Amino acid sequence: MKITRKDFLRLSGLGLLALAGRKAVRALSGWSFAQTSASAAKPIRWGMAFDLGKCRHKDGCNRCIQACHSTHNVPQFADRAHEIKWIWKEPFQNVFPAAQTDYTRDFYGSLPVLLACNHCDDPPCQDVCPVDATWRRDDGVVTIDFHRCIGCRYCMAACPYGSRSFNWQDPRPAIATVNPDFPTRTKGVVEKCNFCEERLAKGQGPACAESCEEKAIVFGDLEQPDSELRQLLRSRFAVQRKPELGTGPSVYYIV
Amino acid sequence: MLMFKNTLTRSRRYWLWIASLLFVILAGSLCYVLQLIHGLVVTGLSRDVSWGLYIAQFTFFVGIAASAVMVVLPYYLHDYQQFGRLTLLGELLAVTAVTMCILFIFVDLGQPSRIFNIVLHPQPQSVMFWDMIALGGYLLMNAVIAAVTLIAQRQHVPVPGWIKPVIILSIPWAISIHTVTAFLYSGLPGRSYWLTAILAPRFLASAFASGPALLILLCLALRKLTGFDAGREAIQKLAVIVTYALAINIFLILAEVFTAFYSEIPAHEEHFEYLFIGLNGDYRLVPWMWLSVLLSWVALALLLVPRWRANIPRLAVACAAIFISIWLDKGLGLIVGGMVPSPLGAVTRYVPTLPESTIVLGIWAVGALMITVFYKITLSIWKEN
């Protein structure tokens, strides 16, 4: 009995410490955010919507994927096991397994749906990273420090959306033309969609949204009630992937 | 003359064993160099199955390390004298197992040269941070306790008083290392196979069955090779501990199976289906998982009957069966089963490659070498006494 009680105390102490640490980190980041944005009128939270109806207009269109992958020096590996992808397509039934019925699967089940990082409000990948190599910025972008990542792949296990890729080998030989404005990666680090943070810094929108002729990708500030994105989310029915997990995705799907 | 010949053959066998371990370590190291040059592409891991044999071995050996508490606790808290010598052997096994765990984590890293980022940028919200503290502390404690005990025994003096609080602290600490290791997995959203509150209890139960089973096998091997006898009563008591832990582990696994299949929630059923029935035409793990089930039931039957348990060859068979069964369950099924199907429903085949398996064998050989050297030193000190 003595041991059980002692263990319980130790473990609850450990849990409390972890919780306190997390709260402290949150409070501190909140505090620094308040400091830096004191001058700004409103905080920004970047978000995105994929209009699936519009996306299907042109069969087999991959412009957004090509635009993203060439902008970000994403290597092209033929072998599925080792591929790196920032934005890609999957059949509807894999992306929204719960949104299927036996009678809709025939038609909707195999329709392609775009996927990328969800840039969660409370990202599990950030919580698990042991070296602070991935974090949610104040504007909602979940980003990665390629120079700090130790390649433990804990974030890949934690991401419930399968959004993260790992460089199983040197990616550089598999990049057709290197874009000198964006870093290439080394083997042994994790990468994913960064909401084009490098373009946002220059006042530009994401490359995928810009490349889409059908305007099926809408990017904007979720905190701005009159932004194009918010107007779209007000007027059309939209869903998030796995909202029941409480991660708070910033990517919406107009179905 | 006869005695001299005996030691000579024994010594030749000893050096042959050491040489073969060094050979396996060399092979593992060469394969690791290959992995360093080309990246983790030399393993069977993939975007979907991003953790495999390395992380699974790590998990299994954290259990072996934690199980030392099953001899430490009865000896120090209940003054169970029969475990006197076994306790030291258990602590040395813990030191070896934690060292293996650290090596398994190290070889799994994509950028091993950046490992100290864990210390430079500590993240208290990451369970891995707590696992580092738990494992590091446990290694240090057991190394100090074992060293102090050995030195005291060699000098024929009682152990210093200050070591007692360290020993007492090592007891809950042992529970914590495996609990924190379970929390690495059981707190992740979207991985249904791991997202269960009984993962930590399951880890502890399987650890307290597999660890003492290994210790019994080591003692039986020592008796055969060196004539050292851990004592019939001690071995039998350890067998009882193994029996209880194994029964609890089987119970907890069945409780998981009930919840998954009675609730019929697809996300919870899928992983068990993949492991025990096969999913989307991938049956690769099915025979191994059933072998694990069969071995644990056979071992339980052998151990439950006191008369059978008292029979040393039968006990050895039961212990080997438990070790293999739990290795299959934890060192193979747990990690791969949690990763397949992927969050997007993909069933991706994972087969460890030759370099990957050789690296794993190399680390096993490091463990075997450590335990051989540790036990040889210990036994030579005991022999002098």
Side-chain angles (χ1 to χ4, degrees), chain B residues 279-330:
Chain B
L279 206 61
N280 287 11
D282 187 353
Y283 311 101
R284 211 158 268 270
L285 286 179
V286 174
W288 299 107
M289 293 312 289
W290 282 108
L291 177 65
S292 169
V293 171
L294 183 75
L295 287 174
S296 69
W297 282 90
V298 167
L300 186 67
L302 285 175
L303 288 174
L304 274 178
V305 182
R307 194 158 36 88
W308 291 357
R309 189 164 69 215
N311 177 307
I312 291 300
R314 247 181 224 152
L315 178 65
V317 168
C319 287
I322 291 169
F323 188 81
I324 296 167
S325 165
I326 292 175
W327 184 83
L328 288 170
D329 179 42
K330 231 170 155 179

CSV table of all heavy atoms in Angstrom, one decimal, chain B residues 279-330:
chain,number,residue,atom,x,y,z
B,279,LEU,N,-5.2,-6.9,-42.6
B,279,LEU,CA,-6.1,-5.8,-43.1
B,279,LEU,C,-5.6,-5.5,-44.5
B,279,LEU,O,-4.4,-5.5,-44.8
B,279,LEU,CB,-5.9,-4.6,-42.2
B,279,LEU,CG,-7.1,-3.6,-42.2
B,279,LEU,CD1,-8.3,-4.2,-41.6
B,279,LEU,CD2,-6.7,-2.4,-41.3
B,280,ASN,N,-6.5,-5.3,-45.5
B,280,ASN,CA,-6.2,-5.0,-46.8
B,280,ASN,C,-5.1,-5.9,-47.4
B,280,ASN,O,-4.2,-5.4,-48.1
B,280,ASN,CB,-5.7,-3.5,-46.9
B,280,ASN,CG,-6.8,-2.5,-46.7
B,280,ASN,OD1,-7.9,-2.9,-46.4
B,280,ASN,ND2,-6.5,-1.3,-47.0
B,281,GLY,N,-5.2,-7.2,-47.1
B,281,GLY,CA,-4.3,-8.1,-47.7
B,281,GLY,C,-2.9,-8.2,-47.1
B,281,GLY,O,-2.0,-8.9,-47.6
B,282,ASP,N,-2.7,-7.5,-46.0
B,282,ASP,CA,-1.4,-7.5,-45.3
B,282,ASP,C,-1.6,-8.4,-44.1
B,282,ASP,O,-2.2,-8.0,-43.1
B,282,ASP,CB,-0.9,-6.1,-44.9
B,282,ASP,CG,0.5,-6.2,-44.4
B,282,ASP,OD1,1.0,-7.3,-44.2
B,282,ASP,OD2,1.0,-5.1,-44.1
B,283,TYR,N,-1.0,-9.6,-44.1
B,283,TYR,CA,-1.1,-10.6,-43.0
B,283,TYR,C,0.2,-10.8,-42.3
B,283,TYR,O,0.4,-11.8,-41.6
B,283,TYR,CB,-1.7,-11.9,-43.5
B,283,TYR,CG,-2.9,-11.8,-44.4
B,283,TYR,CD1,-2.8,-11.9,-45.8
B,283,TYR,CD2,-4.2,-11.6,-43.8
B,283,TYR,CE1,-4.0,-11.7,-46.5
B,283,TYR,CE2,-5.3,-11.4,-44.5
B,283,TYR,CZ,-5.2,-11.5,-45.9
B,283,TYR,OH,-6.3,-11.4,-46.7
B,284,ARG,N,1.2,-10.0,-42.7
B,284,ARG,CA,2.6,-10.2,-42.3
B,284,ARG,C,2.7,-10.4,-40.8
B,284,ARG,O,3.5,-11.3,-40.4
B,284,ARG,CB,3.4,-9.0,-42.7
B,284,ARG,CG,4.8,-9.2,-43.0
B,284,ARG,CD,5.2,-8.1,-43.8
B,284,ARG,NE,5.1,-8.4,-45.2
B,284,ARG,CZ,6.0,-9.0,-46.0
B,284,ARG,NH1,7.1,-9.3,-45.4
B,284,ARG,NH2,5.8,-9.3,-47.2
B,285,LEU,N,2.0,-9.7,-39.9
B,285,LEU,CA,2.3,-9.8,-38.5
B,285,LEU,C,1.3,-10.8,-37.8
B,285,LEU,O,1.6,-11.2,-36.7
B,285,LEU,CB,2.0,-8.4,-37.8
B,285,LEU,CG,3.2,-7.4,-38.0
B,285,LEU,CD1,2.8,-6.1,-37.3
B,285,LEU,CD2,4.5,-7.9,-37.5
B,286,VAL,N,0.3,-11.3,-38.6
B,286,VAL,CA,-0.7,-12.2,-38.0
B,286,VAL,C,-0.1,-13.4,-37.3
B,286,VAL,O,-0.4,-13.7,-36.1
B,286,VAL,CB,-1.8,-12.5,-39.0
B,286,VAL,CG1,-2.8,-13.6,-38.4
B,286,VAL,CG2,-2.5,-11.3,-39.4
B,287,PRO,N,0.7,-14.2,-38.0
B,287,PRO,CA,1.3,-15.4,-37.3
B,287,PRO,C,2.1,-15.1,-36.1
B,287,PRO,O,2.0,-15.8,-35.1
B,287,PRO,CB,2.1,-16.1,-38.4
B,287,PRO,CG,2.3,-15.1,-39.5
B,287,PRO,CD,1.2,-14.2,-39.4
B,288,TRP,N,2.8,-14.0,-36.1
B,288,TRP,CA,3.7,-13.6,-35.0
B,288,TRP,C,2.8,-13.2,-33.8
B,288,TRP,O,3.1,-13.6,-32.7
B,288,TRP,CB,4.6,-12.5,-35.4
B,288,TRP,CG,5.5,-12.8,-36.5
B,288,TRP,CD1,5.5,-12.4,-37.8
B,288,TRP,CD2,6.6,-13.8,-36.4
B,288,TRP,NE1,6.5,-13.0,-38.5
B,288,TRP,CE2,7.2,-13.8,-37.7
B,288,TRP,CE3,7.2,-14.5,-35.3
B,288,TRP,CZ2,8.3,-14.6,-37.9
B,288,TRP,CZ3,8.3,-15.3,-35.6
B,288,TRP,CH2,8.8,-15.4,-36.9
B,289,MET,N,1.7,-12.5,-34.0
B,289,MET,CA,0.9,-12.1,-32.9
B,289,MET,C,0.2,-13.3,-32.3
B,289,MET,O,0.1,-13.3,-31.1
B,289,MET,CB,-0.1,-11.0,-33.4
B,289,MET,CG,0.4,-9.7,-33.9
B,289,MET,SD,1.6,-9.0,-32.7
B,289,MET,CE,0.6,-8.5,-31.4
B,290,TRP,N,-0.2,-14.2,-33.1
B,290,TRP,CA,-0.9,-15.4,-32.6
B,290,TRP,C,0.1,-16.3,-31.8
B,290,TRP,O,-0.2,-16.9,-30.8
B,290,TRP,CB,-1.6,-16.2,-33.6
B,290,TRP,CG,-2.9,-15.6,-34.0
B,290,TRP,CD1,-3.3,-14.9,-35.1
B,290,TRP,CD2,-4.1,-15.5,-33.1
B,290,TRP,NE1,-4.5,-14.4,-35.0
B,290,TRP,CE2,-5.1,-14.7,-33.8
B,290,TRP,CE3,-4.4,-16.0,-31.8
B,290,TRP,CZ2,-6.3,-14.5,-33.2
B,290,TRP,CZ3,-5.6,-15.7,-31.3
B,290,TRP,CH2,-6.6,-15.0,-32.0
B,291,LEU,N,1.4,-16.3,-32.3
B,291,LEU,CA,2.4,-17.0,-31.6
B,291,LEU,C,2.6,-16.4,-30.2
B,291,LEU,O,2.8,-17.1,-29.2
B,291,LEU,CB,3.8,-17.0,-32.4
B,291,LEU,CG,5.0,-17.6,-31.8
B,291,LEU,CD1,4.7,-19.1,-31.6
B,291,LEU,CD2,6.3,-17.4,-32.5
B,292,SER,N,2.6,-15.1,-30.2
B,292,SER,CA,2.7,-14.4,-28.9
B,292,SER,C,1.6,-14.8,-27.9
B,292,SER,O,1.9,-15.1,-26.8
B,292,SER,CB,2.7,-12.9,-29.1
B,292,SER,OG,2.6,-12.2,-27.9
B,293,VAL,N,0.4,-14.8,-28.5
B,293,VAL,CA,-0.7,-15.2,-27.6
B,293,VAL,C,-0.6,-16.7,-27.1
B,293,VAL,O,-0.7,-17.0,-25.9
B,293,VAL,CB,-2.1,-15.1,-28.4
B,293,VAL,CG1,-3.2,-15.7,-27.7
B,293,VAL,CG2,-2.3,-13.7,-28.8
B,294,LEU,N,-0.2,-17.6,-28.1
B,294,LEU,CA,-0.1,-19.0,-27.7
B,294,LEU,C,1.0,-19.2,-26.7
B,294,LEU,O,0.8,-19.8,-25.6
B,294,LEU,CB,0.3,-19.7,-29.0
B,294,LEU,CG,0.4,-21.2,-28.8
B,294,LEU,CD1,-0.9,-21.9,-28.7
B,294,LEU,CD2,1.2,-21.9,-30.0
B,295,LEU,N,2.2,-18.5,-26.9
B,295,LEU,CA,3.3,-18.7,-25.9
B,295,LEU,C,2.9,-18.2,-24.5
B,295,LEU,O,3.2,-18.8,-23.5
B,295,LEU,CB,4.5,-17.9,-26.4
B,295,LEU,CG,5.3,-18.5,-27.6
B,295,LEU,CD1,6.4,-17.6,-28.1
B,295,LEU,CD2,5.8,-19.9,-27.2
B,296,SER,N,2.2,-17.0,-24.4
B,296,SER,CA,1.8,-16.5,-23.1
B,296,SER,C,0.8,-17.4,-22.4
B,296,SER,O,0.9,-17.6,-21.2
B,296,SER,CB,1.3,-15.1,-23.2
B,296,SER,OG,0.1,-15.0,-23.8
B,297,TRP,N,-0.1,-18.0,-23.2
B,297,TRP,CA,-1.1,-19.0,-22.5
B,297,TRP,C,-0.4,-20.2,-22.1
B,297,TRP,O,-0.7,-20.8,-21.0
B,297,TRP,CB,-2.2,-19.3,-23.5
B,297,TRP,CG,-3.2,-18.1,-23.6
B,297,TRP,CD1,-3.2,-17.1,-24.4
B,297,TRP,CD2,-4.3,-17.9,-22.7
B,297,TRP,NE1,-4.2,-16.2,-24.1
B,297,TRP,CE2,-5.0,-16.7,-23.1
B,297,TRP,CE3,-4.9,-18.7,-21.6
B,297,TRP,CZ2,-6.1,-16.2,-22.4
B,297,TRP,CZ3,-6.0,-18.2,-21.0
B,297,TRP,CH2,-6.6,-17.0,-21.4
B,298,VAL,N,0.5,-20.8,-22.9
B,298,VAL,CA,1.3,-22.0,-22.5
B,298,VAL,C,2.1,-21.7,-21.3
B,298,VAL,O,2.1,-22.5,-20.3
B,298,VAL,CB,2.2,-22.4,-23.7
B,298,VAL,CG1,3.2,-23.5,-23.2
B,298,VAL,CG2,1.3,-23.0,-24.9
B,299,ALA,N,2.8,-20.5,-21.3
B,299,ALA,CA,3.6,-20.2,-20.1
B,299,ALA,C,2.7,-20.0,-18.9
B,299,ALA,O,3.1,-20.5,-17.8
B,299,ALA,CB,4.3,-18.9,-20.4
B,300,LEU,N,1.5,-19.4,-19.0
B,300,LEU,CA,0.7,-19.3,-17.9
B,300,LEU,C,0.2,-20.6,-17.3
B,300,LEU,O,0.3,-20.9,-16.1
B,300,LEU,CB,-0.6,-18.4,-18.2
B,300,LEU,CG,-1.5,-18.1,-17.1
B,300,LEU,CD1,-0.8,-17.1,-16.1
B,300,LEU,CD2,-2.8,-17.5,-17.5
B,301,ALA,N,-0.1,-21.6,-18.2
B,301,ALA,CA,-0.5,-22.9,-17.8
B,301,ALA,C,0.7,-23.6,-17.0
B,301,ALA,O,0.5,-24.2,-16.0
B,301,ALA,CB,-0.9,-23.7,-19.0
B,302,LEU,N,1.9,-23.5,-17.6
B,302,LEU,CA,3.0,-24.1,-16.9
B,302,LEU,C,3.3,-23.5,-15.6
B,302,LEU,O,3.8,-24.2,-14.6
B,302,LEU,CB,4.3,-23.9,-17.8
B,302,LEU,CG,4.4,-24.8,-19.1
B,302,LEU,CD1,5.6,-24.4,-19.9
B,302,LEU,CD2,4.4,-26.3,-18.7
B,303,LEU,N,3.1,-22.2,-15.4
B,303,LEU,CA,3.4,-21.5,-14.2
B,303,LEU,C,2.4,-21.7,-13.1
B,303,LEU,O,2.7,-21.6,-11.9
B,303,LEU,CB,3.7,-20.0,-14.4
B,303,LEU,CG,5.0,-19.7,-15.2
B,303,LEU,CD1,5.0,-18.2,-15.5
B,303,LEU,CD2,6.2,-20.1,-14.4
B,304,LEU,N,1.1,-21.8,-13.5
B,304,LEU,CA,0.0,-21.8,-12.5
B,304,LEU,C,0.1,-23.0,-11.6
B,304,LEU,O,-0.3,-22.9,-10.5
B,304,LEU,CB,-1.3,-21.7,-13.3
B,304,LEU,CG,-1.8,-20.3,-13.6
B,304,LEU,CD1,-3.2,-20.4,-14.3
B,304,LEU,CD2,-2.0,-19.5,-12.3
B,305,VAL,N,0.5,-24.1,-12.1
B,305,VAL,CA,0.6,-25.3,-11.3
B,305,VAL,C,1.9,-25.4,-10.5
B,305,VAL,O,3.0,-25.4,-11.1
B,305,VAL,CB,0.5,-26.6,-12.2
B,305,VAL,CG1,0.5,-27.9,-11.3
B,305,VAL,CG2,-0.8,-26.5,-13.1
B,306,PRO,N,1.9,-25.3,-9.2
B,306,PRO,CA,3.1,-25.1,-8.4
B,306,PRO,C,4.1,-26.3,-8.7
B,306,PRO,O,5.3,-26.1,-8.7
B,306,PRO,CB,2.6,-25.2,-7.0
B,306,PRO,CG,1.2,-24.7,-7.0
B,306,PRO,CD,0.7,-25.2,-8.3
B,307,ARG,N,3.6,-27.5,-8.9
B,307,ARG,CA,4.4,-28.6,-9.1
B,307,ARG,C,5.2,-28.5,-10.4
B,307,ARG,O,6.4,-28.8,-10.5
B,307,ARG,CB,3.6,-29.9,-9.2
B,307,ARG,CG,4.3,-31.2,-9.1
B,307,ARG,CD,3.3,-32.3,-8.6
B,307,ARG,NE,2.0,-32.1,-9.1
B,307,ARG,CZ,1.6,-32.6,-10.3
B,307,ARG,NH1,2.4,-33.3,-11.1
B,307,ARG,NH2,0.3,-32.4,-10.7
B,308,TRP,N,4.6,-27.9,-11.5
B,308,TRP,CA,5.2,-27.7,-12.7
B,308,TRP,C,6.2,-26.6,-12.7
B,308,TRP,O,7.3,-26.7,-13.2
B,308,TRP,CB,4.2,-27.4,-13.8
B,308,TRP,CG,3.3,-28.6,-14.2
B,308,TRP,CD1,3.4,-29.8,-13.6
B,308,TRP,CD2,2.2,-28.6,-15.1
B,308,TRP,NE1,2.4,-30.6,-14.2
B,308,TRP,CE2,1.7,-29.9,-15.0
B,308,TRP,CE3,1.6,-27.6,-15.9
B,308,TRP,CZ2,0.6,-30.3,-15.8
B,308,TRP,CZ3,0.5,-28.0,-16.6
B,308,TRP,CH2,0.0,-29.3,-16.6
B,309,ARG,N,5.8,-25.6,-11.9
B,309,ARG,CA,6.7,-24.4,-11.8
B,309,ARG,C,8.0,-24.8,-11.0
B,309,ARG,O,9.1,-24.2,-11.3
B,309,ARG,CB,5.9,-23.4,-10.9
B,309,ARG,CG,6.5,-22.0,-10.8
B,309,ARG,CD,5.4,-21.1,-10.3
B,309,ARG,NE,5.1,-21.3,-9.0
B,309,ARG,CZ,3.8,-21.2,-8.5
B,309,ARG,NH1,2.9,-20.8,-9.2
B,309,ARG,NH2,3.6,-21.4,-7.2
B,310,ALA,N,7.9,-25.8,-10.1
B,310,ALA,CA,9.1,-26.2,-9.4
B,310,ALA,C,10.1,-27.0,-10.2
B,310,ALA,O,11.2,-27.1,-9.8
B,310,ALA,CB,8.6,-27.0,-8.1
B,311,ASN,N,9.6,-27.5,-11.3
B,311,ASN,CA,10.5,-28.3,-12.2
B,311,ASN,C,11.3,-27.3,-13.0
B,311,ASN,O,10.8,-26.5,-13.9
B,311,ASN,CB,9.6,-29.1,-13.1
B,311,ASN,CG,10.4,-29.9,-14.1
B,311,ASN,OD1,11.2,-29.4,-14.9
B,311,ASN,ND2,10.2,-31.2,-14.1
B,312,ILE,N,12.6,-27.3,-12.8
B,312,ILE,CA,13.5,-26.3,-13.4
B,312,ILE,C,13.5,-26.2,-14.9
B,312,ILE,O,13.3,-25.2,-15.5
B,312,ILE,CB,14.9,-26.4,-12.8
B,312,ILE,CG1,15.0,-26.0,-11.4
B,312,ILE,CG2,15.9,-25.5,-13.6
B,312,ILE,CD1,14.5,-24.6,-11.0
B,313,PRO,N,13.6,-27.4,-15.6
B,313,PRO,CA,13.5,-27.3,-17.1
B,313,PRO,C,12.2,-26.7,-17.6
B,313,PRO,O,12.1,-25.9,-18.5
B,313,PRO,CB,13.6,-28.7,-17.6
B,313,PRO,CG,14.3,-29.4,-16.4
B,313,PRO,CD,13.9,-28.7,-15.2
B,314,ARG,N,11.1,-27.1,-16.9
B,314,ARG,CA,9.8,-26.6,-17.3
B,314,ARG,C,9.7,-25.1,-17.0
B,314,ARG,O,9.1,-24.3,-17.8
B,314,ARG,CB,8.7,-27.3,-16.5
B,314,ARG,CG,7.8,-28.1,-17.4
B,314,ARG,CD,6.7,-28.8,-16.7
B,314,ARG,NE,6.6,-30.2,-17.1
B,314,ARG,CZ,6.2,-31.2,-16.4
B,314,ARG,NH1,5.8,-31.0,-15.2
B,314,ARG,NH2,6.2,-32.4,-16.9
B,315,LEU,N,10.3,-24.6,-15.9
B,315,LEU,CA,10.3,-23.2,-15.5
B,315,LEU,C,11.1,-22.4,-16.6
B,315,LEU,O,10.6,-21.4,-17.0
B,315,LEU,CB,10.9,-23.0,-14.2
B,315,LEU,CG,11.0,-21.6,-13.7
B,315,LEU,CD1,9.7,-20.9,-13.5
B,315,LEU,CD2,11.8,-21.5,-12.4
B,316,ALA,N,12.2,-23.0,-17.0
B,316,ALA,CA,13.0,-22.4,-18.1
B,316,ALA,C,12.2,-22.2,-19.4
B,316,ALA,O,12.2,-21.1,-20.0
B,316,ALA,CB,14.3,-23.2,-18.3
B,317,VAL,N,11.5,-23.3,-19.7
B,317,VAL,CA,10.7,-23.2,-21.0
B,317,VAL,C,9.6,-22.1,-20.8
B,317,VAL,O,9.4,-21.3,-21.7
B,317,VAL,CB,10.0,-24.5,-21.2
B,317,VAL,CG1,8.9,-24.4,-22.3
B,317,VAL,CG2,11.0,-25.6,-21.7
B,318,ALA,N,9.0,-22.0,-19.7
B,318,ALA,CA,7.9,-21.0,-19.4
B,318,ALA,C,8.5,-19.6,-19.5
B,318,ALA,O,7.9,-18.7,-20.1
B,318,ALA,CB,7.3,-21.2,-18.1
B,319,CYS,N,9.7,-19.4,-18.9
B,319,CYS,CA,10.3,-18.1,-18.9
B,319,CYS,C,10.7,-17.7,-20.3
B,319,CYS,O,10.5,-16.5,-20.7
B,319,CYS,CB,11.5,-18.1,-18.0
B,319,CYS,SG,11.0,-18.1,-16.2
B,320,ALA,N,11.3,-18.6,-21.1
B,320,ALA,CA,11.7,-18.3,-22.4
B,320,ALA,C,10.4,-18.0,-23.3
B,320,ALA,O,10.4,-17.0,-24.0
B,320,ALA,CB,12.4,-19.5,-23.1
B,321,ALA,N,9.3,-18.7,-23.0
B,321,ALA,CA,8.1,-18.5,-23.8
B,321,ALA,C,7.6,-17.0,-23.5
B,321,ALA,O,7.1,-16.3,-24.3
B,321,ALA,CB,7.0,-19.5,-23.4
B,322,ILE,N,7.6,-16.7,-22.2
B,322,ILE,CA,7.2,-15.3,-21.8
B,322,ILE,C,8.0,-14.2,-22.4
B,322,ILE,O,7.5,-13.3,-23.0
B,322,ILE,CB,7.2,-15.2,-20.2
B,322,ILE,CG1,6.1,-16.1,-19.6
B,322,ILE,CG2,7.0,-13.7,-19.8
B,322,ILE,CD1,6.3,-16.2,-18.1
B,323,PHE,N,9.3,-14.4,-22.4
B,323,PHE,CA,10.2,-13.4,-22.9
B,323,PHE,C,9.9,-13.2,-24.4
B,323,PHE,O,9.8,-12.1,-24.9
B,323,PHE,CB,11.7,-13.9,-22.7
B,323,PHE,CG,12.7,-12.8,-23.1
B,323,PHE,CD1,13.0,-11.8,-22.2
B,323,PHE,CD2,13.3,-12.8,-24.3
B,323,PHE,CE1,13.9,-10.8,-22.5
B,323,PHE,CE2,14.2,-11.8,-24.7
B,323,PHE,CZ,14.5,-10.8,-23.8
B,324,ILE,N,9.8,-14.3,-25.2
B,324,ILE,CA,9.5,-14.2,-26.6
B,324,ILE,C,8.1,-13.6,-26.8
B,324,ILE,O,8.0,-12.8,-27.7
B,324,ILE,CB,9.7,-15.6,-27.3
B,324,ILE,CG1,11.1,-16.1,-27.2
B,324,ILE,CG2,9.3,-15.6,-28.7
B,324,ILE,CD1,11.3,-17.6,-27.5
B,325,SER,N,7.2,-14.1,-26.1
B,325,SER,CA,5.8,-13.6,-26.3
B,325,SER,C,5.7,-12.1,-26.1
B,325,SER,O,5.1,-11.4,-26.9
B,325,SER,CB,4.9,-14.3,-25.3
B,325,SER,OG,3.6,-13.7,-25.2
B,326,ILE,N,6.3,-11.6,-25.0
B,326,ILE,CA,6.2,-10.2,-24.7
B,326,ILE,C,7.1,-9.4,-25.6
B,326,ILE,O,6.7,-8.3,-26.0
B,326,ILE,CB,6.5,-9.9,-23.2
B,326,ILE,CG1,5.3,-10.5,-22.4
B,326,ILE,CG2,6.6,-8.4,-22.9
B,326,ILE,CD1,5.4,-10.5,-20.9
B,327,TRP,N,8.2,-10.0,-26.1
B,327,TRP,CA,9.0,-9.3,-27.1
B,327,TRP,C,8.2,-9.1,-28.4
B,327,TRP,O,8.2,-8.0,-29.0
B,327,TRP,CB,10.3,-10.1,-27.4
B,327,TRP,CG,11.1,-9.3,-28.3
B,327,TRP,CD1,12.0,-8.3,-28.0
B,327,TRP,CD2,11.1,-9.4,-29.8
B,327,TRP,NE1,12.5,-7.8,-29.2
B,327,TRP,CE2,12.0,-8.4,-30.3
B,327,TRP,CE3,10.5,-10.2,-30.7
B,327,TRP,CZ2,12.3,-8.2,-31.6
B,327,TRP,CZ3,10.7,-10.0,-32.0
B,327,TRP,CH2,11.6,-9.1,-32.5
B,328,LEU,N,7.4,-10.2,-28.8
B,328,LEU,CA,6.6,-10.1,-30.0
B,328,LEU,C,5.5,-9.0,-29.8
B,328,LEU,O,5.2,-8.2,-30.7
B,328,LEU,CB,6.0,-11.4,-30.3
B,328,LEU,CG,6.9,-12.5,-30.9
B,328,LEU,CD1,6.2,-13.8,-30.9
B,328,LEU,CD2,7.4,-12.1,-32.2
B,329,ASP,N,4.9,-9.0,-28.7
B,329,ASP,CA,3.8,-8.1,-28.4
B,329,ASP,C,4.2,-6.6,-28.3
B,329,ASP,O,3.7,-5.7,-28.9
B,329,ASP,CB,3.1,-8.5,-27.1
B,329,ASP,CG,1.9,-7.6,-26.8
B,329,ASP,OD1,1.2,-7.2,-27.7
B,329,ASP,OD2,1.8,-7.2,-25.6
B,330,LYS,N,5.4,-6.4,-27.6
B,330,LYS,CA,5.8,-5.1,-27.3
B,330,LYS,C,6.9,-4.6,-28.2
B,330,LYS,O,7.0,-3.5,-28.6
B,330,LYS,CB,6.4,-5.1,-25.9
B,330,LYS,CG,5.8,-4.0,-25.0
B,330,LYS,CD,6.3,-4.4,-23.6
B,330,LYS,CE,6.4,-3.2,-22.6
B,330,LYS,NZ,6.8,-3.7,-21.3
